[in-house]
């Protein structure tokens, strides 16, 4: 791999920089619409369940050999245009000192939630050696994948703050919003620290060779646009603008974010991720003509008979043509009950129907 000097900073040439996926992220002409699936490396695959048997989730995330194997499984099976690193949004928070676990069927559970200024001291800044196993896994994968892009990712400050404050998944985010409205100084201190951890975690992945990054703000849709702009956007913008010169496209995704798509684009995204509630033509009108879009196929549509799946795939492709660049994806992650053969068929259909 060669190194060039650009803008005074050493930048690695990424073999996947000219891939269909990266080109679509940048709004450049492509031979077909690229496709990958959020949570493609997971419990919908029998080969995943086999290698994970008896190994706790966080332990699996800390073993580069396992991370590489699980990341590659959906590549072998579906022929998707990008791989996503097998990890979890809480991995860097655990590496920065928070005692937590990922419980099967529940998600992240935090032993002692962060609710006071004293609690905040338990969340250290992240340094690269804290996540050396991620650096190692990315380097292994980039070597294996060659010109196929690897997507790195992290959780955005709001979504991470919700897990840390609630202590686990929450439907209402009540304690999170109570801190946001009632103790804004503590809120901003916590989100500022999380933004620093997230930025460092993504920088480790970029330095190790990922071709793009996705910032998951899965639960930001719980907020109004005004509250998002006031309490959350500055912290997400700190992360995304911190990667502006890194040479990789930045995808910014959340669920139920129709009211936030303009702000999430402005926060510093090259690609705005959209759930199933907002068609891609409407999304691109909100995200602006300089941004690509990704998403929108309802993960539940994959349970319908094939003619319905096909109709929905063709609809998403047609609506995606309104955007300067379109990355085909689901509106949220693959559900564990999904038939993997349907995913393989969707990939083939996207490629065939979008070939130009
Ligand atoms: O393709 C991939 O799966 C890439 C790896 C990946 C995981 N989590 C693995 C995982 C990614 C990108 C994530 C992101 C993530 N984790 C998000 C953002 C995306 C989203 O879904 O909105 C969030 C909110 C989390 C937190 C989290 N971790 C949840 C809500 C859960 C689900 C709980 C469950 O079991 O259904 C997890 C656990 C988790 N993360 C699993 C996997 C494969 C399941 C753990 C297992 O298999 O035992």
């Amino acid at each position: 791999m060669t190194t060039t000097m650009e803008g005074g900073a050493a930048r690695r040439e990424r073999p996947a920089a000219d891939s269909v996926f990266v080109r679509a992220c940048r709004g450049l002409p492509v031979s077909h619409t690229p496709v990958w699936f959020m949570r493609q490396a997971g419990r919908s695959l029998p080969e995943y369940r086999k290698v994970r048997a008896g190994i706790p989730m966080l332990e699996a995330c800390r073993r580069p050999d396992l991370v590489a194997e699980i990341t590659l499984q959906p590549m072998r099976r579906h022929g998707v245009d990008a791989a996503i690193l097998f990890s979890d949004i809480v991995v860097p928070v655990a590496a920065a000192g928070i005692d937590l676990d990922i419980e099967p069927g529940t998600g992240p559970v935090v032993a002692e939630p962060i609710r006071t200024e004293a609690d905040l001291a338990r969340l250290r800044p992240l340094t690269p050696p804290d996540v050396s196993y991620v650096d190692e896994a990315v380097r292994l994968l980039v070597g294996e994948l060659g010109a196929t892009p690897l997507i790195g990712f992290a959780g955005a400050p709001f979504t991470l703050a919700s897990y840390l404050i609630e202590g686990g998944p929450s439907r209402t985010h009540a304690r999170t919003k109570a801190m946001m409205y009632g103790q804004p100084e503590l809120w901003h201190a916590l989100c500022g620290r999380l933004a620093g951890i997230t930025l460092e975690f993504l920088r480790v992945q970029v330095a190790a060779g990922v071709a793009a990054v996705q910032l998951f703000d899965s639960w930001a849709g719980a907020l109004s646009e005004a509250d998002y702009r006031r309490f959350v956007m500055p912290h997400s913008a700190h992360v995304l603008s911190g990667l502006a010169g890194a040479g990789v496209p930045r995808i910014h995704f959340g669920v139920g974010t129709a009211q936030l798509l303009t702000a999430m684009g402005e926060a510093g995204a090259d690609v705005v991720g959209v759930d199933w509630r907002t068609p891609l033509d409407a999304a691109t009108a909100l995200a602006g003509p300089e941004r690509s879009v990704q998403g929108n196929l309802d993960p539940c549509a994959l349970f319908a008979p094939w003619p319905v799946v096909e109709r929905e795939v063709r609809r998403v492709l047609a609506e995606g043509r309104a955007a300067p660049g379109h990355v085909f994806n689901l509106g949220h992650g693959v559900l564990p009950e999904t038939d993997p053969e349907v995913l393989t068929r969707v990939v083939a259909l996207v490629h065939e129907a979008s070939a130009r």
Side-chain angles (χ1 to χ4, degrees), residues 36-43 48 52 57 84-90 102-108 153 159 163 169 216 218-219 253 255 332-333 336:
W36 69 282
F37 303 110
M38 291 184 277
R39 303 290 296 272
Q40 65 190 14
R43 290 179 304 170
Y48 168 78
R52 269 289 318 281
M57 176 67 187
I84 179 157
L85 180 71
F86 179 78
S87 188
D88 195 85
I89 58 167
V90 296
I102 300 178
E103 292 185 3
T106 303
F153 75 92
T159 293
Y163 283 111
F216 281 98
S218 301
W219 314 139
F253 166 79
V255 181
H332 199 180

mmCIF file of all heavy atoms in Angstrom, residues 36-43 48 52 57 84-90 102-108 153 159 163 169 216 218-219 253 255 332-333 336, ligand 1:
data_model
loop_
_atom_site.group_PDB
_atom_site.id
_atom_site.type_symbol
_atom_site.label_atom_id
_atom_site.label_comp_id
_atom_site.label_asym_id
_atom_site.label_seq_id
_atom_site.Cartn_x
_atom_site.Cartn_y
_atom_site.Cartn_z
ATOM 1 N N TRP A 36 -25.528 -3.522 0.251
ATOM 2 C CA TRP A 36 -25.107 -4.289 1.426
ATOM 3 C C TRP A 36 -26.252 -4.199 2.425
ATOM 4 O O TRP A 36 -27.219 -3.458 2.193
ATOM 5 C CB TRP A 36 -23.771 -3.770 2.017
ATOM 6 C CG TRP A 36 -23.818 -2.410 2.670
ATOM 7 C CD1 TRP A 36 -23.826 -1.203 2.032
ATOM 8 C CD2 TRP A 36 -23.879 -2.125 4.078
ATOM 9 N NE1 TRP A 36 -23.880 -0.181 2.946
ATOM 10 C CE2 TRP A 36 -23.911 -0.712 4.221
ATOM 11 C CE3 TRP A 36 -23.896 -2.913 5.236
ATOM 12 C CZ2 TRP A 36 -23.970 -0.085 5.476
ATOM 13 C CZ3 TRP A 36 -23.950 -2.283 6.479
ATOM 14 C CH2 TRP A 36 -23.984 -0.884 6.589
ATOM 15 N N PHE A 37 -26.189 -4.954 3.504
ATOM 16 C CA PHE A 37 -27.289 -4.964 4.473
ATOM 17 C C PHE A 37 -26.766 -4.664 5.874
ATOM 18 O O PHE A 37 -25.808 -5.317 6.327
ATOM 19 C CB PHE A 37 -27.985 -6.334 4.509
ATOM 20 C CG PHE A 37 -28.520 -6.776 3.177
ATOM 21 C CD1 PHE A 37 -27.930 -7.837 2.508
ATOM 22 C CD2 PHE A 37 -29.609 -6.140 2.598
ATOM 23 C CE1 PHE A 37 -28.406 -8.255 1.276
ATOM 24 C CE2 PHE A 37 -30.093 -6.555 1.364
ATOM 25 C CZ PHE A 37 -29.492 -7.618 0.703
ATOM 26 N N MET A 38 -27.377 -3.696 6.535
ATOM 27 C CA MET A 38 -27.039 -3.478 7.929
ATOM 28 C C MET A 38 -27.333 -4.771 8.703
ATOM 29 O O MET A 38 -28.356 -5.403 8.463
ATOM 30 C CB MET A 38 -27.858 -2.306 8.496
ATOM 31 C CG MET A 38 -27.427 -0.966 7.905
ATOM 32 S SD MET A 38 -28.282 0.443 8.626
ATOM 33 C CE MET A 38 -29.803 0.420 7.664
ATOM 34 N N ARG A 39 -26.421 -5.124 9.594
ATOM 35 C CA ARG A 39 -26.468 -6.376 10.362
ATOM 36 C C ARG A 39 -26.470 -7.613 9.461
ATOM 37 O O ARG A 39 -27.068 -8.641 9.794
ATOM 38 C CB ARG A 39 -27.701 -6.397 11.303
ATOM 39 C CG ARG A 39 -27.765 -5.215 12.275
ATOM 40 C CD ARG A 39 -26.714 -5.256 13.355
ATOM 41 N NE ARG A 39 -26.859 -6.388 14.231
ATOM 42 C CZ ARG A 39 -27.620 -6.405 15.325
ATOM 43 N NH1 ARG A 39 -28.308 -5.350 15.663
ATOM 44 N NH2 ARG A 39 -27.673 -7.468 16.076
ATOM 45 N N GLN A 40 -25.749 -7.523 8.344
ATOM 46 C CA GLN A 40 -25.658 -8.696 7.458
ATOM 47 C C GLN A 40 -24.828 -9.809 8.090
ATOM 48 O O GLN A 40 -24.971 -10.978 7.744
ATOM 49 C CB GLN A 40 -25.059 -8.301 6.099
ATOM 50 C CG GLN A 40 -23.609 -7.809 6.138
ATOM 51 C CD GLN A 40 -23.147 -7.198 4.800
ATOM 52 O OE1 GLN A 40 -23.958 -6.909 3.933
ATOM 53 N NE2 GLN A 40 -21.848 -7.006 4.642
ATOM 54 N N ALA A 41 -23.903 -9.402 8.998
ATOM 55 C CA ALA A 41 -23.023 -10.388 9.637
ATOM 56 C C ALA A 41 -23.630 -10.788 10.973
ATOM 57 O O ALA A 41 -23.217 -10.317 11.998
ATOM 58 C CB ALA A 41 -21.638 -9.783 9.839
ATOM 59 N N GLY A 42 -24.627 -11.621 10.951
ATOM 60 C CA GLY A 42 -25.256 -11.911 12.237
ATOM 61 C C GLY A 42 -26.147 -13.124 12.229
ATOM 62 O O GLY A 42 -25.969 -14.040 11.432
ATOM 63 N N ARG A 43 -27.140 -13.032 13.107
ATOM 64 C CA ARG A 43 -27.859 -14.236 13.467
ATOM 65 C C ARG A 43 -28.800 -14.793 12.424
ATOM 66 O O ARG A 43 -29.416 -15.824 12.653
ATOM 67 C CB ARG A 43 -28.614 -13.996 14.771
ATOM 68 C CG ARG A 43 -27.652 -13.876 15.936
ATOM 69 C CD ARG A 43 -28.365 -13.610 17.204
ATOM 70 N NE ARG A 43 -29.181 -12.424 17.050
ATOM 71 C CZ ARG A 43 -30.078 -12.017 17.921
ATOM 72 N NH1 ARG A 43 -30.299 -12.700 18.993
ATOM 73 N NH2 ARG A 43 -30.767 -10.929 17.709
ATOM 74 N N TYR A 48 -22.884 -18.319 11.101
ATOM 75 C CA TYR A 48 -22.581 -17.388 12.200
ATOM 76 C C TYR A 48 -22.901 -18.043 13.549
ATOM 77 O O TYR A 48 -22.087 -18.052 14.461
ATOM 78 C CB TYR A 48 -23.389 -16.090 12.044
ATOM 79 C CG TYR A 48 -23.356 -15.208 13.279
ATOM 80 C CD1 TYR A 48 -22.238 -14.427 13.557
ATOM 81 C CD2 TYR A 48 -24.422 -15.173 14.180
ATOM 82 C CE1 TYR A 48 -22.194 -13.622 14.693
ATOM 83 C CE2 TYR A 48 -24.385 -14.382 15.311
ATOM 84 C CZ TYR A 48 -23.264 -13.602 15.561
ATOM 85 O OH TYR A 48 -23.219 -12.816 16.692
ATOM 86 N N ARG A 52 -20.222 -18.761 16.622
ATOM 87 C CA ARG A 52 -20.435 -18.014 17.846
ATOM 88 C C ARG A 52 -20.811 -18.908 19.035
ATOM 89 O O ARG A 52 -20.818 -18.439 20.176
ATOM 90 C CB ARG A 52 -21.539 -16.979 17.622
ATOM 91 C CG ARG A 52 -21.072 -15.597 17.146
ATOM 92 C CD ARG A 52 -20.334 -14.795 18.215
ATOM 93 N NE ARG A 52 -20.947 -14.878 19.516
ATOM 94 C CZ ARG A 52 -22.008 -14.208 19.903
ATOM 95 N NH1 ARG A 52 -22.585 -13.353 19.092
ATOM 96 N NH2 ARG A 52 -22.506 -14.356 21.117
ATOM 97 N N MET A 57 -20.718 -12.406 23.089
ATOM 98 C CA MET A 57 -20.607 -11.414 22.018
ATOM 99 C C MET A 57 -19.356 -10.538 22.152
ATOM 100 O O MET A 57 -18.590 -10.375 21.195
ATOM 101 C CB MET A 57 -21.879 -10.564 22.015
ATOM 102 C CG MET A 57 -21.895 -9.435 21.028
ATOM 103 S SD MET A 57 -21.911 -10.011 19.304
ATOM 104 C CE MET A 57 -21.728 -8.436 18.473
ATOM 105 N N ILE A 84 -19.214 -5.216 6.306
ATOM 106 C CA ILE A 84 -19.196 -4.339 7.485
ATOM 107 C C ILE A 84 -18.509 -5.089 8.607
ATOM 108 O O ILE A 84 -18.777 -6.275 8.837
ATOM 109 C CB ILE A 84 -20.598 -3.836 7.894
ATOM 110 C CG1 ILE A 84 -20.479 -2.941 9.158
ATOM 111 C CG2 ILE A 84 -21.572 -4.994 8.120
ATOM 112 C CD1 ILE A 84 -21.608 -1.978 9.358
ATOM 113 N N LEU A 85 -17.602 -4.379 9.253
ATOM 114 C CA LEU A 85 -16.827 -4.962 10.349
ATOM 115 C C LEU A 85 -17.759 -5.568 11.389
ATOM 116 O O LEU A 85 -18.713 -4.930 11.827
ATOM 117 C CB LEU A 85 -15.989 -3.856 11.004
ATOM 118 C CG LEU A 85 -15.125 -4.300 12.178
ATOM 119 C CD1 LEU A 85 -13.975 -5.156 11.691
ATOM 120 C CD2 LEU A 85 -14.618 -3.101 12.954
ATOM 121 N N PHE A 86 -17.485 -6.786 11.817
ATOM 122 C CA PHE A 86 -18.248 -7.386 12.907
ATOM 123 C C PHE A 86 -17.744 -6.809 14.225
ATOM 124 O O PHE A 86 -16.577 -6.983 14.593
ATOM 125 C CB PHE A 86 -18.113 -8.908 12.914
ATOM 126 C CG PHE A 86 -18.884 -9.526 14.039
ATOM 127 C CD1 PHE A 86 -20.257 -9.675 13.954
ATOM 128 C CD2 PHE A 86 -18.244 -9.920 15.199
ATOM 129 C CE1 PHE A 86 -20.982 -10.205 15.011
ATOM 130 C CE2 PHE A 86 -18.961 -10.459 16.255
ATOM 131 C CZ PHE A 86 -20.335 -10.605 16.158
ATOM 132 N N SER A 87 -18.611 -6.091 14.918
ATOM 133 C CA SER A 87 -18.278 -5.487 16.209
ATOM 134 C C SER A 87 -19.596 -5.050 16.832
ATOM 135 O O SER A 87 -20.640 -5.581 16.472
ATOM 136 C CB SER A 87 -17.347 -4.279 16.016
ATOM 137 O OG SER A 87 -16.888 -3.803 17.258
ATOM 138 N N ASP A 88 -19.571 -4.092 17.738
ATOM 139 C CA ASP A 88 -20.817 -3.530 18.267
ATOM 140 C C ASP A 88 -20.555 -2.101 18.688
ATOM 141 O O ASP A 88 -19.413 -1.742 18.991
ATOM 142 C CB ASP A 88 -21.341 -4.336 19.462
ATOM 143 C CG ASP A 88 -22.793 -3.967 19.762
ATOM 144 O OD1 ASP A 88 -23.701 -4.540 19.133
ATOM 145 O OD2 ASP A 88 -23.026 -3.074 20.603
ATOM 146 N N ILE A 89 -21.625 -1.290 18.731
ATOM 147 C CA ILE A 89 -21.428 0.122 19.082
ATOM 148 C C ILE A 89 -20.920 0.303 20.516
ATOM 149 O O ILE A 89 -20.334 1.324 20.816
ATOM 150 C CB ILE A 89 -22.706 0.974 18.866
ATOM 151 C CG1 ILE A 89 -23.885 0.431 19.670
ATOM 152 C CG2 ILE A 89 -23.051 1.041 17.384
ATOM 153 C CD1 ILE A 89 -25.062 1.398 19.729
ATOM 154 N N VAL A 90 -21.128 -0.683 21.392
ATOM 155 C CA VAL A 90 -20.668 -0.494 22.782
ATOM 156 C C VAL A 90 -19.224 -0.966 22.998
ATOM 157 O O VAL A 90 -18.686 -0.782 24.099
ATOM 158 C CB VAL A 90 -21.610 -1.163 23.816
ATOM 159 C CG1 VAL A 90 -22.981 -0.491 23.782
ATOM 160 C CG2 VAL A 90 -21.722 -2.663 23.594
ATOM 161 N N ILE A 102 -23.219 -7.627 26.578
ATOM 162 C CA ILE A 102 -24.240 -7.674 25.534
ATOM 163 C C ILE A 102 -25.005 -8.968 25.724
ATOM 164 O O ILE A 102 -24.452 -10.052 25.547
ATOM 165 C CB ILE A 102 -23.619 -7.592 24.123
ATOM 166 C CG1 ILE A 102 -22.830 -6.288 23.963
ATOM 167 C CG2 ILE A 102 -24.701 -7.696 23.059
ATOM 168 C CD1 ILE A 102 -22.132 -6.138 22.612
ATOM 169 N N GLU A 103 -26.259 -8.856 26.161
ATOM 170 C CA GLU A 103 -27.044 -10.052 26.469
ATOM 171 C C GLU A 103 -27.856 -10.483 25.256
ATOM 172 O O GLU A 103 -28.524 -9.656 24.635
ATOM 173 C CB GLU A 103 -27.948 -9.775 27.676
ATOM 174 C CG GLU A 103 -27.108 -9.592 28.934
ATOM 175 C CD GLU A 103 -27.938 -9.424 30.205
ATOM 176 O OE1 GLU A 103 -29.185 -9.499 30.128
ATOM 177 O OE2 GLU A 103 -27.313 -9.207 31.254
ATOM 178 N N PRO A 104 -27.775 -11.778 24.930
ATOM 179 C CA PRO A 104 -28.509 -12.282 23.762
ATOM 180 C C PRO A 104 -29.998 -11.959 23.871
ATOM 181 O O PRO A 104 -30.604 -12.167 24.924
ATOM 182 C CB PRO A 104 -28.281 -13.795 23.813
ATOM 183 C CG PRO A 104 -27.093 -13.997 24.703
ATOM 184 C CD PRO A 104 -27.056 -12.832 25.641
ATOM 185 N N GLY A 105 -30.557 -11.413 22.809
ATOM 186 C CA GLY A 105 -31.987 -11.104 22.785
ATOM 187 C C GLY A 105 -32.355 -9.801 23.462
ATOM 188 O O GLY A 105 -33.493 -9.332 23.343
ATOM 189 N N THR A 106 -31.423 -9.176 24.204
ATOM 190 C CA THR A 106 -31.708 -7.913 24.902
ATOM 191 C C THR A 106 -30.876 -6.788 24.302
ATOM 192 O O THR A 106 -31.391 -5.736 23.933
ATOM 193 C CB THR A 106 -31.372 -8.023 26.415
ATOM 194 O OG1 THR A 106 -32.128 -9.107 26.947
ATOM 195 C CG2 THR A 106 -31.729 -6.745 27.145
ATOM 196 N N GLY A 107 -29.563 -7.005 24.208
ATOM 197 C CA GLY A 107 -28.659 -5.956 23.754
ATOM 198 C C GLY A 107 -27.746 -5.520 24.884
ATOM 199 O O GLY A 107 -27.564 -6.256 25.851
ATOM 200 N N PRO A 108 -27.155 -4.324 24.779
ATOM 201 C CA PRO A 108 -26.183 -3.889 25.788
ATOM 202 C C PRO A 108 -26.844 -3.650 27.148
ATOM 203 O O PRO A 108 -27.916 -3.057 27.228
ATOM 204 C CB PRO A 108 -25.661 -2.560 25.222
ATOM 205 C CG PRO A 108 -26.017 -2.590 23.763
ATOM 206 C CD PRO A 108 -27.267 -3.389 23.668
ATOM 207 N N PHE A 153 -17.490 1.306 11.567
ATOM 208 C CA PHE A 153 -18.649 1.998 12.137
ATOM 209 C C PHE A 153 -18.437 2.309 13.603
ATOM 210 O O PHE A 153 -17.529 1.785 14.254
ATOM 211 C CB PHE A 153 -19.935 1.172 11.965
ATOM 212 C CG PHE A 153 -20.026 -0.003 12.894
ATOM 213 C CD1 PHE A 153 -20.657 0.107 14.131
ATOM 214 C CD2 PHE A 153 -19.485 -1.231 12.548
ATOM 215 C CE1 PHE A 153 -20.740 -0.977 14.997
ATOM 216 C CE2 PHE A 153 -19.558 -2.326 13.398
ATOM 217 C CZ PHE A 153 -20.187 -2.196 14.632
ATOM 218 N N THR A 159 -27.126 7.880 20.811
ATOM 219 C CA THR A 159 -27.500 6.465 20.972
ATOM 220 C C THR A 159 -26.648 5.803 22.053
ATOM 221 O O THR A 159 -27.162 5.026 22.879
ATOM 222 C CB THR A 159 -27.400 5.747 19.606
ATOM 223 O OG1 THR A 159 -28.412 6.300 18.747
ATOM 224 C CG2 THR A 159 -27.596 4.249 19.726
ATOM 225 N N TYR A 163 -27.844 4.219 26.033
ATOM 226 C CA TYR A 163 -27.510 2.939 26.694
ATOM 227 C C TYR A 163 -26.829 3.187 28.038
ATOM 228 O O TYR A 163 -27.100 2.499 29.019
ATOM 229 C CB TYR A 163 -26.617 2.081 25.794
ATOM 230 C CG TYR A 163 -27.379 1.408 24.680
ATOM 231 C CD1 TYR A 163 -27.197 1.773 23.358
ATOM 232 C CD2 TYR A 163 -28.312 0.404 24.961
ATOM 233 C CE1 TYR A 163 -27.913 1.166 22.333
ATOM 234 C CE2 TYR A 163 -29.033 -0.197 23.940
ATOM 235 C CZ TYR A 163 -28.826 0.188 22.632
ATOM 236 O OH TYR A 163 -29.549 -0.407 21.619
ATOM 237 N N PRO A 169 -31.468 -1.165 26.851
ATOM 238 C CA PRO A 169 -32.384 -0.641 25.833
ATOM 239 C C PRO A 169 -33.591 0.037 26.480
ATOM 240 O O PRO A 169 -34.017 -0.362 27.572
ATOM 241 C CB PRO A 169 -32.827 -1.898 25.076
ATOM 242 C CG PRO A 169 -31.869 -2.974 25.468
ATOM 243 C CD PRO A 169 -31.354 -2.628 26.819
ATOM 244 N N PHE A 216 -23.821 5.233 13.464
ATOM 245 C CA PHE A 216 -25.172 4.754 13.792
ATOM 246 C C PHE A 216 -25.760 5.615 14.903
ATOM 247 O O PHE A 216 -25.338 5.501 16.056
ATOM 248 C CB PHE A 216 -25.124 3.310 14.301
ATOM 249 C CG PHE A 216 -24.981 2.254 13.230
ATOM 250 C CD1 PHE A 216 -23.746 1.713 12.929
ATOM 251 C CD2 PHE A 216 -26.090 1.761 12.552
ATOM 252 C CE1 PHE A 216 -23.611 0.709 11.968
ATOM 253 C CE2 PHE A 216 -25.965 0.762 11.590
ATOM 254 C CZ PHE A 216 -24.738 0.234 11.293
ATOM 255 N N SER A 218 -28.945 5.247 15.921
ATOM 256 C CA SER A 218 -30.170 4.460 15.746
ATOM 257 C C SER A 218 -31.382 5.074 16.441
ATOM 258 O O SER A 218 -32.487 4.990 15.931
ATOM 259 C CB SER A 218 -29.938 3.044 16.254
ATOM 260 O OG SER A 218 -28.867 2.468 15.545
ATOM 261 N N TRP A 219 -31.185 5.680 17.612
ATOM 262 C CA TRP A 219 -32.356 6.127 18.390
ATOM 263 C C TRP A 219 -32.585 7.643 18.345
ATOM 264 O O TRP A 219 -33.431 8.163 19.055
ATOM 265 C CB TRP A 219 -32.255 5.631 19.838
ATOM 266 C CG TRP A 219 -31.859 4.182 19.947
ATOM 267 C CD1 TRP A 219 -30.983 3.657 20.850
ATOM 268 C CD2 TRP A 219 -32.324 3.064 19.164
ATOM 269 N NE1 TRP A 219 -30.847 2.298 20.657
ATOM 270 C CE2 TRP A 219 -31.660 1.908 19.632
ATOM 271 C CE3 TRP A 219 -33.232 2.920 18.108
ATOM 272 C CZ2 TRP A 219 -31.868 0.636 19.060
ATOM 273 C CZ3 TRP A 219 -33.422 1.647 17.540
ATOM 274 C CH2 TRP A 219 -32.760 0.543 18.027
ATOM 275 N N PHE A 253 -26.658 7.430 9.859
ATOM 276 C CA PHE A 253 -27.921 6.671 9.832
ATOM 277 C C PHE A 253 -28.676 6.750 11.160
ATOM 278 O O PHE A 253 -28.078 6.730 12.238
ATOM 279 C CB PHE A 253 -27.620 5.194 9.524
ATOM 280 C CG PHE A 253 -28.778 4.275 9.796
ATOM 281 C CD1 PHE A 253 -29.828 4.187 8.883
ATOM 282 C CD2 PHE A 253 -28.845 3.532 10.954
ATOM 283 C CE1 PHE A 253 -30.917 3.366 9.145
ATOM 284 C CE2 PHE A 253 -29.933 2.697 11.223
ATOM 285 C CZ PHE A 253 -30.971 2.609 10.304
ATOM 286 N N VAL A 255 -33.003 5.708 12.806
ATOM 287 C CA VAL A 255 -34.329 5.126 12.554
ATOM 288 C C VAL A 255 -35.395 6.152 12.954
ATOM 289 O O VAL A 255 -35.263 6.801 14.000
ATOM 290 C CB VAL A 255 -34.512 3.837 13.394
ATOM 291 C CG1 VAL A 255 -35.882 3.213 13.123
ATOM 292 C CG2 VAL A 255 -33.408 2.838 13.075
ATOM 293 N N HIS A 332 -33.369 -0.755 8.290
ATOM 294 C CA HIS A 332 -32.702 -1.039 9.564
ATOM 295 C C HIS A 332 -32.060 -2.407 9.403
ATOM 296 O O HIS A 332 -32.002 -2.933 8.294
ATOM 297 C CB HIS A 332 -33.703 -0.974 10.722
ATOM 298 C CG HIS A 332 -33.064 -0.791 12.079
ATOM 299 N ND1 HIS A 332 -33.789 -0.717 13.244
ATOM 300 C CD2 HIS A 332 -31.757 -0.662 12.443
ATOM 301 C CE1 HIS A 332 -32.951 -0.547 14.271
ATOM 302 N NE2 HIS A 332 -31.720 -0.512 13.800
ATOM 303 N N GLY A 333 -31.561 -2.985 10.490
ATOM 304 C CA GLY A 333 -30.797 -4.208 10.365
ATOM 305 C C GLY A 333 -31.611 -5.424 9.942
ATOM 306 O O GLY A 333 -32.825 -5.489 10.137
ATOM 307 N N PRO A 336 -33.149 -11.428 12.741
ATOM 308 C CA PRO A 336 -32.549 -12.770 12.855
ATOM 309 C C PRO A 336 -33.351 -13.858 12.140
ATOM 310 O O PRO A 336 -32.774 -14.837 11.692
ATOM 311 C CB PRO A 336 -32.539 -13.032 14.367
ATOM 312 C CG PRO A 336 -32.659 -11.702 15.018
ATOM 313 C CD PRO A 336 -33.367 -10.793 14.052
HETATM 314 O O1 LIG B 1 -23.510 -6.761 10.098
HETATM 315 C C1 LIG B 1 -23.361 -6.697 11.333
HETATM 316 O O2 LIG B 1 -24.068 -7.303 12.140
HETATM 317 C C2 LIG B 1 -22.227 -5.836 11.814
HETATM 318 C C3 LIG B 1 -22.031 -5.822 13.244
HETATM 319 C C4 LIG B 1 -22.970 -5.023 14.145
HETATM 320 C C5 LIG B 1 -23.507 -5.535 15.377
HETATM 321 N N1 LIG B 1 -24.115 -4.524 16.032
HETATM 322 C C6 LIG B 1 -23.371 -6.912 15.844
HETATM 323 C C7 LIG B 1 -24.303 -7.414 16.869
HETATM 324 C C8 LIG B 1 -23.350 -3.692 14.060
HETATM 325 C C9 LIG B 1 -23.105 -2.705 12.937
HETATM 326 C C10 LIG B 1 -24.052 -3.385 15.266
HETATM 327 C C11 LIG B 1 -24.525 -2.041 15.578
HETATM 328 C C12 LIG B 1 -25.406 -1.838 16.726
HETATM 329 N N2 LIG B 1 -25.395 -2.446 17.954
HETATM 330 C C13 LIG B 1 -26.407 -0.842 16.750
HETATM 331 C C14 LIG B 1 -26.684 0.101 15.627
HETATM 332 C C15 LIG B 1 -27.447 -0.584 14.550
HETATM 333 C C16 LIG B 1 -28.885 -0.801 14.883
HETATM 334 O O3 LIG B 1 -29.296 -1.969 14.916
HETATM 335 O O4 LIG B 1 -29.589 0.189 15.084
HETATM 336 C C17 LIG B 1 -27.039 -0.893 17.995
HETATM 337 C C18 LIG B 1 -28.194 -0.041 18.465
HETATM 338 C C19 LIG B 1 -26.385 -1.907 18.759
HETATM 339 C C20 LIG B 1 -26.651 -2.312 20.154
HETATM 340 C C21 LIG B 1 -27.072 -3.735 20.148
HETATM 341 N N3 LIG B 1 -26.177 -4.794 20.148
HETATM 342 C C22 LIG B 1 -28.386 -4.258 20.030
HETATM 343 C C23 LIG B 1 -29.665 -3.451 20.003
HETATM 344 C C24 LIG B 1 -28.248 -5.647 19.955
HETATM 345 C C25 LIG B 1 -29.362 -6.633 19.676
HETATM 346 C C26 LIG B 1 -29.760 -7.498 20.786
HETATM 347 C C27 LIG B 1 -30.242 -8.807 20.204
HETATM 348 O O5 LIG B 1 -29.655 -9.829 20.573
HETATM 349 O O6 LIG B 1 -31.149 -8.779 19.356
HETATM 350 C C28 LIG B 1 -26.887 -5.954 20.045
HETATM 351 C C29 LIG B 1 -26.245 -7.282 19.992
HETATM 352 C C30 LIG B 1 -25.575 -7.614 18.716
HETATM 353 N N4 LIG B 1 -24.789 -6.767 17.982
HETATM 354 C C31 LIG B 1 -25.615 -8.856 18.064
HETATM 355 C C32 LIG B 1 -24.809 -8.751 16.920
HETATM 356 C C33 LIG B 1 -24.499 -9.810 15.913
HETATM 357 C C34 LIG B 1 -26.370 -10.066 18.572
HETATM 358 C C35 LIG B 1 -25.548 -10.724 19.624
HETATM 359 C C36 LIG B 1 -25.497 -12.208 19.471
HETATM 360 O O7 LIG B 1 -25.473 -12.703 18.316
HETATM 361 O O8 LIG B 1 -25.411 -12.866 20.525
#
